[in-house]
């Protein structure tokens, strides 16, 4: 095979081969220099600049002015449209002809009014193929349009990727010409590249690496770059090497094309639509040429965007979905954050996603796909299973800063015991390039389940507008499908991969509980307005659905607002994308997100927003429920009776307080009832204030801290000895890089109490139904805290209504409560349940959780006594030893330089209790804090009315909505919240004829009717189980 012996000098042989394909050295005589043949300028090039993202039809009507290559245009976020007239020389007959287009702006080529090719230099896509092999009958004169977005793949960060965008950046086209592309050179270059990489990857210890070295050296000997007829000998030498096969036991890498597109991040939502268009049209072009190429694609929202913006492209996608090449994955509306969305929001991510994929493609996703999210709730396995999904793919835990996650392929067991087969691709990436290093060492070495799992995923392709895979990546992978020394590589699909893993899963380990990411823990707090918008809108949609469901039963003419609600839900779900709700996005995205919650900015446009459109829906439902007259009534959307002080308007329209008693999921007129024990407020001689409502007694210092908080009946003090509760703290908050994302462990060393009093404590409400005091603290020259501490009659908790004027830089504001409780674990609410995390720092796994997330409450309890810290829009907590801390505000400067600047309003509450938090109704109190009783007009003779009630406090009726597929049917969703096995009876006064169990996608289970007796519907729950019922009216 070789024509003479070779000297034993590995280095010179290797470098010789490298230089033979170098695009820097010796291009005058090496193979790389022959990649392109002749070139030819364009006939003409003209441009038109638009400040908006306009349609092709609109753009093509504009007047275009001549453009010279290298002329600049901009600024950032504008669009430059080019009209390209070209004429291919006749002499190029038989050649492959490309339009070469290099620009620093992401581009789309349009031909015959259709998008045909995405071009992004950063994604190695600079060629539009005009002809594979030019024939006389092909058109030689062509007019194209190129739409160039004034942003790069990662937006336009000023100086660094995650810096806030430079709004004045200029862009240009650096190359626009016709070229002859020598495909045979490309093929041979790929042979060389793969062999050289095998030499390097296998190193000096492997016999096989030397075989690759001598092969590639002999190929240089055989190949004369100036004589294409010499290529085939070199190519067949490479082919012989690649064809030497593995044994049967070799690991199999399942290669799937992918293009992770963040639905918004360093660019706004609107640009994402074009990123999807550019990337997916590129994928379709590759599919036309490579019938075996498979591409996985998540996020129903992105498909919906492409459907409405690029209908032609969408039907091509439908065609390739049918062929099994373009595979919708994930089953969710967007790739959402895995921590912060509520349980019901997560259900809706799947409901909207799966229904969309089913309707548009006839597909049901069997895997959940979330490679890039900052942690995964322990309730996800049950929600996946309930949505018909039993496989899960991610990789983000490879980013852990402290501990290495021990598995790549394992069963993940959730809070309720549901299990899903889970795979983290051992390459720790969803953007591989199909290179030898991607399928070689990584797979052999990184796989932590060697001998247990012999299959793994390789996701390859540029993400975020890089346009996904390239032909080169496919060519690389094709060469090494079964090459001795490398894992086998097969074009695959999630289905094939998981079937292999499932079939051979006997030895797989199980991980129980949440998948906590030991990084990006600042995302529980950053962009507080988005978090508040999310929580409040989740609450609002909950209430609208319940009121509308009741209206549906009360008033035959009432139309359940199906479409409007779907639109509002989709906005909420979109904002739960994994760079939006975490707050890791640029300011433009924050503005969009806040506008979706509340459309104050663009009110003149027909843009929907959840709060105002939602308020109208709620009003409509209440009217159908009989809301008229001029007495005040109260609507309770929660499944227990509430007895609370609320603010109403008196007869003269002035604000007044009333103590109301409202039945479970029902309403009641306001009949002013006096509390058994009124609140007393006493200003003491030393300036402190004592408040007492018969359940709680507190002493508040002049600076607003709590000197004492006593649970009267139990005679227990909640605040730790010689400590103060409600202590505000400031920390320096300078992470290592990911500014909006990360709060590092060392910030804890910079703790400084906020001590400076601007306005000392004064009494605002002097008691009766409500006692309250207020004070103002100074954080710095620019920032202040004003707080009202509220004690209501009959309330087991004290509320802290807080306003912060915040203009800090790289600071973290928290509030802490050192409490008189000793326990190794604290409990945090998560989706449809709660979990415990340690309060100590024994192991690295414990201390890596120095900042954690929770939903509406966290609790620290010892036997028979505990303290809960509730909140109405916060997510960041920490409990260390006996100190409970709620994270309030951060001030990162990238990627949004103005993140969190301004005025913030939020409320938290402290609730000491006897018994367990379950028996003390901490869960219900946290709901009460988040779901205010809503007042509406009623006639004075309105009778209190309840639609649903449930026999045990352990079970919470979370959702009531109209069924997706049936008009006269409701879906109700309940969950077991205490962590107990329990039997519950659901009672309803609604005219329910039949009841069936259904899954989270509302598919009714014909084998499981729910029997209705005169008592109601009796249901058995295991701990944290979610149960959905279809109620036929
Ligand atoms: Zn992402």
């Amino acid at each position: 095979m070789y024509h003479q012996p070779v000297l034993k000098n590995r280095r010179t042989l290797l470098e010789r081969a490298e230089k033979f394909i170098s695009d820097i050295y010796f291009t005058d005589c090496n193979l790389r220099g022959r990649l392109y043949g002749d070139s030819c300028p364009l006939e003409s090039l003209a441009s038109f600049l638009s400040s908006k993202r306009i349609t092709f039809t609109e753009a093509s009507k504009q007047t275009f002015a001549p453009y010279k290559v290298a002329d600049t245009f901009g600024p950032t976020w504008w669009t430059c449209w080019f009209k390209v007239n070209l004429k291919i020389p006749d002499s190029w007959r038989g050649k492959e002809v490309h339009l070469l287009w290099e620009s620093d702006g992401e581009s789309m080529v349009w031909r015959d009014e259709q998008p045909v090719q995405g071009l992004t230099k950063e994604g190695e896509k600079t060629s539009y193929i005009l002809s594979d092999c030019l024939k006389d009958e092909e058109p030689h004169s062509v007019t194209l349009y190129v739409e160039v977005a004034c942003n790069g793949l990662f937006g336009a960060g000023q100086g660094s990727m995650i810096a806030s965008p430079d709004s004045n950046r200029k862009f240009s086209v650096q190359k626009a010409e016709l070229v002859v592309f020598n495909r045979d050179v490309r093929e041979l270059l790929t042979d060389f590249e793969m062999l050289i990489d095998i030499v390097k990857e296998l190193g000096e210890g492997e016999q096989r690496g030397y075989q690759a070295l001598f092969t590639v050296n002999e190929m240089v000997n055989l190949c004369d770059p100036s004589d294409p007829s010499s290529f085939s000998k070199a190519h067949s030498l490479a082919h012989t090497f690649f064809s030497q096969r593995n044994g049967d036991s070799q690991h199999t890498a399942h290669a799937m094309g992918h293009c992770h597109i963040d639905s918004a991040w360093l660019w706004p939502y609107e640009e994402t639509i074009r990123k999807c268009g550019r990337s997916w049209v590129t994928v379709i072009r590759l599919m036309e040429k490579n019938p075996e190429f498979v591409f996985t694609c998540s996020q129903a929202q992105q498909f919906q965007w492409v459907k409405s913006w690029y209908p032609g492209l969408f039907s091509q996608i439908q065609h390739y979905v049918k062929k099994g090449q373009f595979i919708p994955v994930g089953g969710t509306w967007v790739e959402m954050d895995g921590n912060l969305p509520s349980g019901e929001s997560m259900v809706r991510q799947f409901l909207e996603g799966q229904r969309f994929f089913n309707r548009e493609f006839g597909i049901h996703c069997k895997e959940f796909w979330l490679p890039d999210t900052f942690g995964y709730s322990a309730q996800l396995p049950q929600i996946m299973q309930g949505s018909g999904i039993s496989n899960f793919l991610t990789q983000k835990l490879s980013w852990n800063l402290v501990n290495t996650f021990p598995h790549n392929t394992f069963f993940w067991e959730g809070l309720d015991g549901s299990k899903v087969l889970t795979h983290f691709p051992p390459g720790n990436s969803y953007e591989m390039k199909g290179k030898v290093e991607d399928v070689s060492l990584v797979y052999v070495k990184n796989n932590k389940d060697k001998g247990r799992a012999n299959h793994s995923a390789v996701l390859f392709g540029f993400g975020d507008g890089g346009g996904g895979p390239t032909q080169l990546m496919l060519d690389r992978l094709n060469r090494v499908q079964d090459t001795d020394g490398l894992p086998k590589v097969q074009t695959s699909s999630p289905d094939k991969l998981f079937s292999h893993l499932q079939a051979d899963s006997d030895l797989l380990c199980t991980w129980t509980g949440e998948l906590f990411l030991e990084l990006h823990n600042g995302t529980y707090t950053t962009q507080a307005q988005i978090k508040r918008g999310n929580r409040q809108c989740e609450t609002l949609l909950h209430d609208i659905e319940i009121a509308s469901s009741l209206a549906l039963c009360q008033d035959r003419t009432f139309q359940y607002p199906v479409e409007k609600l779907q639109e509002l839900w989709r906005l909420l779900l979109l904002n739960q994308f994994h760079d939006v709700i975490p707050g890791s996005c640029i300011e433009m995205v924050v503005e969009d997100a806040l506008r979706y919650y509340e459309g104050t900015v663009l009110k003149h446009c027909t843009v929907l927003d959840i709060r105002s459109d939602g308020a109208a829906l709620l009003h409509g439902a209440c009217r159908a429920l009989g809301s008229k007259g001029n007495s005040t009534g109260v609507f309770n959307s929660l499944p227990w009776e509430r007895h609370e002080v609320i603010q109403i308007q008196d007869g003269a329209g002035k604000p007044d307080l009333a103590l109301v008693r409202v039945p479970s999921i029902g309403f009641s007129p306001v009949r002013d009832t006096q509390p058994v024990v009124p609140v007393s407020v006493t200003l003491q001689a030393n300036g402190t204030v004592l408040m007492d409502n018969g359940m709680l007694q507190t002493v508040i210092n002049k600076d607003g801290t709590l000197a004492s908080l006593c649970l009267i009946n139990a005679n227990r003090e909640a605040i730790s000895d010689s400590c103060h509760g409600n202590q505000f703290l400031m920390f320096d908050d300078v992470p290592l890089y990911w500014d909006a994302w990360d709060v590092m462990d060392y910030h804890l060393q910079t703790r400084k109490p906020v001590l400076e009093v601007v306005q000392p404590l004064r009494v605002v409400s002097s008691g009766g139904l409500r006692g309250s005091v207020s004070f103002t603290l100074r954080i710095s020259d620019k920032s202040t805290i004003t707080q009202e501490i509220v004690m209501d009659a009959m309330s087991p908790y004290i509320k802290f209504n807080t306003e912060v004027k915040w203009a800090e830089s790289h600071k973290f504001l928290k509030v802490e409560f050192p409490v008189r409780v000793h326990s190794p674990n604290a409990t945090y609410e998560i989706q449809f349940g709660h979990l415990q995390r340690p309060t100590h720092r024994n192991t690295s796994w414990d201390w890596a959780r120095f900042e954690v997330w929770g939903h509406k409450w966290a609790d620290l309890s010892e036997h028979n006594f505990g303290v809960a810290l509730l909140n109405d829009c916060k997510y960041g907590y920490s409990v260390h030893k006996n100190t409970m801390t709620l994270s309030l505000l951060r001030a990162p400067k990238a990627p949004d330089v103005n993140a969190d600047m301004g005025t913030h309003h939020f409320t938290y509450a402290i609730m000491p209790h006897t018994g367990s938090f379950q028996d003390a109704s901490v869960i219900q109190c946290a709901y009460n804090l988040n779901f205010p009783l809503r007042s509406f007009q009623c006639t004075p003779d309105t009778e209190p009315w309840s639609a649903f009630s449930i026999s045990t406090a352990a079970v919470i009726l979370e959702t009531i909505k109209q069924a997706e597929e049936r008009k006269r049917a409701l879906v109700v969703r309940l969950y077991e919240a205490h962590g107990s096995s329990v039997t519950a009876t659901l009672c309803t006064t609604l005219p329910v004829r039949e009841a069936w169990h259904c899954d989270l996608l509302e598919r009714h289970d014909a084998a499981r009717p729910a029997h209705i007796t005169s008592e109601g519907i009796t249901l058995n729950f295991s701990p944290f189980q979610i149960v959905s019922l279809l109620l036929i009216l």
Side-chain angles (χ1 to χ4, degrees):
M1 166 176 165
Y2 304 109
H3 64 271
Q4 52 186 306
V6 188
L7 298 179
K8 283 199 167 176
N9 192 337
R10 180 176 180 271
R11 183 186 153 186
T12 55
L13 296 189
L14 176 57
E15 283 195 25
R16 178 196 188 197
E18 287 179 311
K19 293 290 155 46
F20 195 65
I21 60 167
S22 168
D23 54 5
I24 302 168
Y25 303 105
F26 306 110
T27 51
D28 62 320
C29 60
N30 75 3
L31 186 63
R32 186 65 176 69
R34 301 279 169 166
L35 184 57
Y36 293 103
D38 292 343
S39 67
C40 156
L42 303 174
E43 288 270 293
S44 70
L45 183 60
S47 71
F48 156 73
L49 196 60
S50 164
S51 65
K52 294 208 169 67
R53 298 176 181 89
I54 56 176
T55 61
F56 172 83
T57 317
E58 204 181 333
S60 61
K61 285 184 204 145
Q62 307 299 323
T63 313
F64 287 72
Y67 174 86
K68 248 186 13 275
V69 164
D71 282 354
T72 60
F73 51 85
T76 318
W77 309 123
W78 286 41
T79 300
C80 197
W81 284 84
F82 290 88
K83 188 171 182 178
V84 179
N85 287 314
L86 59 90
K87 185 166 185 309
I88 307 171
D90 293 338
S91 60
W92 288 7
R93 188 181 311 112
K95 309 274 192 207
E96 181 170 335
V97 182
H98 290 188
L99 165 67
L100 208 59
W101 184 275
E102 285 185 25
S103 168
D104 42 7
E106 296 184 297
S107 310
M108 173 77 100
V109 182
W110 293 78
R111 184 173 186 169
D112 303 330
E113 302 177 20
Q114 289 299 319
V116 289
Q117 178 70 52
L119 297 176
T120 305
K121 207 157 80 174
E122 295 148 293
E124 295 177 5
K125 292 172 189 74
T126 53
S127 277
Y128 169 55
I129 303 176
L130 288 158
S131 175
D132 290 326
C133 178
L134 187 69
K135 295 182 189 66
D136 287 340
E137 62 271 25
E138 281 181 71
H140 284 42
S141 290
V142 178
T143 299
L144 303 172
Y145 288 84
V146 185
E147 176 191 13
V148 179
C150 293
N151 58 263
L153 194 159
F154 288 122
Q158 197 160 16
S160 91
M161 181 182 81
I162 63 162
S164 69
D166 175 356
S167 55
N168 288 311
R169 190 182 282 190
K170 291 289 183 187
F171 293 78
S172 69
V173 176
Q174 294 105 41
K175 204 175 260 183
E177 61 187 21
L178 301 186
V179 291
V180 169
F181 183 78
N182 292 319
R183 181 66 58 185
D184 51 353
V185 174
R186 174 73 271 168
E187 293 290 347
L188 199 53
L189 284 170
T190 309
D191 291 337
F192 271 102
E193 183 215 291
M194 292 301 278
L195 285 163
I196 289 168
D197 284 353
I198 290 172
V199 176
K200 291 202 266 194
E201 279 297 308
L202 297 187
E204 295 187 47
E206 299 276 341
Q207 149 98 347
R208 188 69 175 147
Y210 282 93
Q211 291 174 350
L213 178 69
F214 298 136
T215 302
V216 79
N217 183 60
E218 188 61 11
M219 285 166 64
V220 183
N221 290 334
L222 290 174
C223 177
D224 174 359
S226 67
D227 177 12
S229 72
S230 69
F231 295 176
S232 67
K233 276 191 210 144
H235 178 67
S236 75
L237 213 54
H239 180 74
T240 305
F241 180 93
F242 295 134
S243 306
Q244 288 175 324
R245 301 170 66 169
N246 281 291
D248 291 343
S249 65
Q250 186 57 277
H251 189 89
T252 301
H254 292 247
M256 302 172 221
H258 189 50
C259 179
H260 178 81
I261 303 180
D262 291 300
S263 288
W265 179 28
L266 302 174
W267 55 86
Y269 285 126
E270 254 195 30
E271 193 54 44
T272 309
I273 300 173
R274 300 202 296 190
K275 282 175 183 283
C276 294
R278 289 188 287 258
S279 299
W280 297 358
V281 79
T282 302
V283 165
I284 296 292
R285 290 293 88 81
L286 275 181
M287 285 182 177
E288 288 165 352
K289 290 200 155 58
N290 302 272
E292 75 297 339
F293 166 48
V294 165
F295 180 75
T296 52
C297 192
S298 65
Q299 314 200 58
Q301 167 72 83
Q302 295 186 0
F303 284 89
Q304 172 67 50
W305 279 334
V306 167
K307 188 184 176 195
S308 39
W309 284 60
Y310 306 97
L313 171 60
F314 188 74
S315 35
Q316 288 178 310
I317 289 170
Q318 282 177 312
H319 169 75
Y320 282 100
V321 170
K322 240 185 231 136
K323 289 183 75 177
Q325 284 184 258
F326 204 112
I327 304 181
V329 295
T332 52
W333 186 247
V334 294
E335 285 187 15
M336 73 280 196
D337 180 80
N339 301 328
L340 310 186
S342 70
E344 187 60 26
S345 287
M346 283 193 169
V347 169
R348 299 306 178 90
Q349 288 285 355
F350 286 98
L351 182 75
E352 285 297 325
Q354 290 284 38
R355 285 174 59 80
F356 181 89
F357 290 136
N358 189 12
R359 190 169 55 249
E360 301 295 338
F361 306 114
I363 281 214
H364 176 89
C365 300
K366 287 194 264 179
E367 71 298 305
F368 181 35
W369 190 277
L370 202 55
D372 190 32
T373 292
F374 315 148
Y376 305 87
S377 163
Q379 196 56 284
L380 272 166
Q382 185 181 189
I383 295 173
M384 285 182 227
Q385 288 289 7
S387 308
I389 285 176
S390 45
N391 304 316
F392 176 39
L393 185 141
T394 184
Q395 63 81 44
K396 199 70 182 184
L397 260 58
S398 67
W399 286 45
N400 270 6
L401 203 60
V402 181
N403 297 286
T404 304
F405 193 79
H407 314 300
N408 282 102
T409 304
F410 60 102
F411 286 104
W412 180 24
E413 183 181 296
L415 200 59
D416 70 314
S418 295
K419 278 188 180 187
V420 289
L421 178 57
T422 300
H423 180 63
F424 298 176
N428 296 337
S429 169
Y430 43 81
E431 285 196 42
M432 303 194 99
K433 307 292 182 281
K435 294 181 73 108
V436 170
E437 65 195 52
D438 294 345
V439 293
S440 161
L441 275 183
V442 158
Y443 278 78
V444 184
K445 284 196 183 151
N446 282 11
N447 179 16
K448 298 187 201 80
D449 294 287
K450 297 184 192 74
R452 299 173 195 268
N454 211 18
H455 296 263
S456 57
V458 176
L459 307 178
F460 64 97
F462 289 97
D464 282 335
T470 60
Q471 184 64 50
L472 177 57
M473 294 178 196
L474 296 177
D475 294 343
R476 286 171 180 152
L477 292 167
N478 272 336
R479 277 167 174 67
V480 293
Q481 291 178 28
D482 191 355
T483 296
D484 187 14
L486 300 180
K488 294 180 193 174
V489 178
Q490 69 174 56
T491 297
S492 190
S493 64
D495 223 19
K496 275 190 208 152
L497 168 70
F498 281 107
S499 305
H500 279 290
L501 292 174
Q502 183 70 54
D504 194 11
S505 57
D506 294 349
L507 291 176
L508 295 183
C509 300
T510 295
W511 178 273
T512 300
E514 68 178 323
L515 297 174
F516 185 84
L517 180 65
E518 296 170 354
L519 198 74
H520 294 356
N521 315 99
T523 61
Y524 319 143
T525 305
T526 305
Q527 299 288 8
Q529 304 286 15
I530 294 183
K531 271 112 178 144
R532 184 167 184 255
N534 180 69
R535 181 79 65 81
Q536 291 187 343
C537 290
E538 284 178 339
T539 305
L540 178 59
L541 291 177
H542 168 274
D543 285 6
I544 297 167
E545 288 187 333
I546 291 185
S548 304
S549 298
L550 304 191
L552 192 69
C553 300
Q554 295 290 90
D555 177 356
R556 278 253 155 204
T557 65
F558 179 78
Q559 292 286 319
Y560 191 91
V562 179
E563 279 159 27
K564 212 56 186 277
L565 266 171
Q566 184 183 49
E567 287 177 274
L568 299 186
W569 264 111
R570 285 180 170 186
L571 288 179
L572 184 80
L573 300 179
L574 175 57
N575 279 349
Q576 289 171 351
F577 177 73
H578 67 250
D579 281 310
V580 180
I581 196 175
S584 48
C585 48
I586 60 170
E587 189 171 18
M588 287 171 102
V589 179
V590 178
E591 286 167 359
D592 279 346
L594 295 181
R595 200 167 70 228
Y596 293 165
Y597 295 128
E598 185 150 44
T600 48
V601 183
L602 280 181
K603 207 54 216 166
H604 56 283
C605 296
T606 51
V607 177
L608 280 175
D609 78 84
I610 304 170
R611 284 196 183 104
S612 41
D613 289 86
L617 294 183
L618 190 61
H619 184 71
C622 286
R623 219 176 28 234
L625 281 169
S627 164
K628 45 184 178 286
N630 35 17
S631 289
T632 304
V634 182
F635 171 56
N636 172 18
S637 66
L638 297 178
W640 45 81
E641 184 187 81
R642 291 168 71 174
H643 196 193
E644 284 174 32
V645 175
I646 61 160
Q647 192 150 26
I648 54 163
Q649 291 187 337
D650 68 7
K654 289 207 181 118
D656 196 5
L657 296 174
L659 180 65
V660 294
R661 189 184 287 275
V662 199
S664 143
I665 309 208
F667 50 81
S668 166
V670 174
R671 298 205 176 98
D672 209 345
T673 46
Q674 284 309 309
V676 182
V677 182
V679 182
S680 70
V681 179
T682 316
L683 181 59
Q684 305 191 113
N686 60 1
T688 63
V689 171
L690 188 144
M691 290 205 286
D692 186 320
N693 70 355
M695 298 156 88
L696 298 174
Q697 186 185 68
T698 185
V699 177
I700 306 167
N701 294 321
K702 280 191 281 190
D703 62 359
T705 56
L706 302 192
S708 162
L709 175 61
C710 188
L711 191 61
I712 295 169
N713 277 349
N715 194 26
R716 286 285 296 252
E717 172 59 49
I719 304 297
S720 202
D721 270 347
S722 63
C723 290
H724 294 154
N726 198 37
Q727 177 68 63
F728 287 101
L729 302 167
M730 286 284 277
F731 296 83
D732 294 344
D733 187 15
V734 187
L736 297 175
Y737 176 71
W738 296 100
D739 201 357
W741 292 257
D742 284 351
V743 55
M744 310 307 293
D745 49 3
Y746 52 75
H747 87 285
L748 293 168
Q749 301 185 353
T750 63
R751 175 185 181 280
K752 289 183 197 69
V754 178
L755 298 170
E756 199 175 330
V757 179
V758 178
Q759 173 78 55
L761 194 70
R762 65 189 178 90
V763 174
V764 178
S765 300
S766 55
L769 286 177
R770 173 169 291 172
S772 75
V773 293
S774 118
F775 62 94
T776 300
L777 301 178
R778 181 177 175 278
I779 297 171
S780 71
D781 294 353
K782 296 167 273 178
S783 305
T784 54
I785 302 169
T786 299
Q787 191 171 62
E788 186 186 16
I789 304 179
V790 179
M791 179 183 272
D792 279 345
M794 314 293 295
S795 175
Y797 54 82
I798 296 177
K799 280 195 289 192
F800 300 84
N801 298 335
T802 313
E803 178 188 277
V804 181
K805 293 197 163 67
W806 184 244
E808 297 300 308
S809 178
H810 290 115
K811 299 284 177 192
F812 200 153
L813 177 69
K814 305 185 189 183
V815 65
E816 80 177 15
F817 289 86
V819 296
R820 213 172 281 198
V821 178
H822 180 75
S823 171
N825 289 300
T827 308
Y828 302 84
E829 188 193 35
I830 68 160
Q831 295 79 0
F832 299 125
H834 57 261
L835 51 69
Q836 296 198 316
R837 301 189 183 105
T839 57
H840 56 74
R841 294 179 181 161
N842 281 357
T843 69
S844 59
W845 292 87
D846 300 326
W847 68 252
R849 287 180 281 178
F850 59 87
E851 175 81 10
V852 300
W853 62 272
H855 284 186
K856 300 186 287 290
W857 57 269
D859 181 84
L860 184 65
S861 285
E862 57 192 36
H863 175 65
N864 210 26
F865 183 73
V867 178
L869 183 54
L870 325 177
N871 76 78
D872 75 344
C873 61
K874 297 295 169 193
Y875 296 90
Y877 277 103
S878 63
V879 182
H880 183 216
K881 296 182 179 168
N882 66 326
T883 300
M884 307 180 77
T885 307
L886 184 66
S887 299
L888 302 175
L889 292 169
R890 296 186 68 218
K893 300 298 167 194
D896 174 4
V897 74
N898 295 313
D900 280 317
M901 297 300 98
T903 303
H904 296 267
H905 294 98
F906 50 85
T907 294
Y908 54 89
I910 189 91
M911 175 176 172
H913 59 83
T914 53
S916 66
F917 68 85
Q918 290 97 331
D919 292 339
S921 299
V922 164
I923 301 170
Q924 282 75 9
C925 287
Y927 269 92
N928 292 349
L929 184 72
N930 278 268
F931 292 76
L933 290 166
R934 297 186 189 271
S935 58
F936 66 96
Q937 300 302 109
C938 68
T939 52
D941 59 346
T942 305
E943 287 298 318
W945 180 70
S946 165
F948 284 96
S949 58
I950 186 110
S951 63
T952 164
V955 171
I956 291 178
L957 172 53
E958 174 76 24
T959 301
I960 305 168
K961 65 185 282 289
Q962 181 176 270
E964 298 287 330
E965 297 293 338
R966 286 182 76 145
K967 278 218 160 106
R968 301 296 303 171
L970 299 178
V971 167
V972 296
R973 191 161 7 264
L974 311 94
Y975 72 95
E976 198 291 319
H978 284 180
S980 61
S981 296
V982 66
T983 299
T985 304
L986 174 69
C987 300
T988 180
T989 55
L990 302 183
V992 176
R993 292 188 291 122
E994 291 169 40
W996 296 87
H997 284 269
C998 65
D999 68 4
L1000 299 179
L1001 304 181
E1002 307 185 4
R1003 298 179 297 190
H1004 100 282
D1005 185 346
R1008 294 186 66 205
H1011 298 290
I1012 309 176
T1013 65
S1014 57
E1015 314 271 275
I1017 302 168
T1018 300
L1019 302 162
N1020 294 316
F1021 286 82
S1022 52
F1024 305 114
Q1025 189 185 358
I1026 306 165
V1027 169
S1028 301
L1029 297 176
L1030 192 64
L1031 305 181
I1032 314 292
L1033 300 172

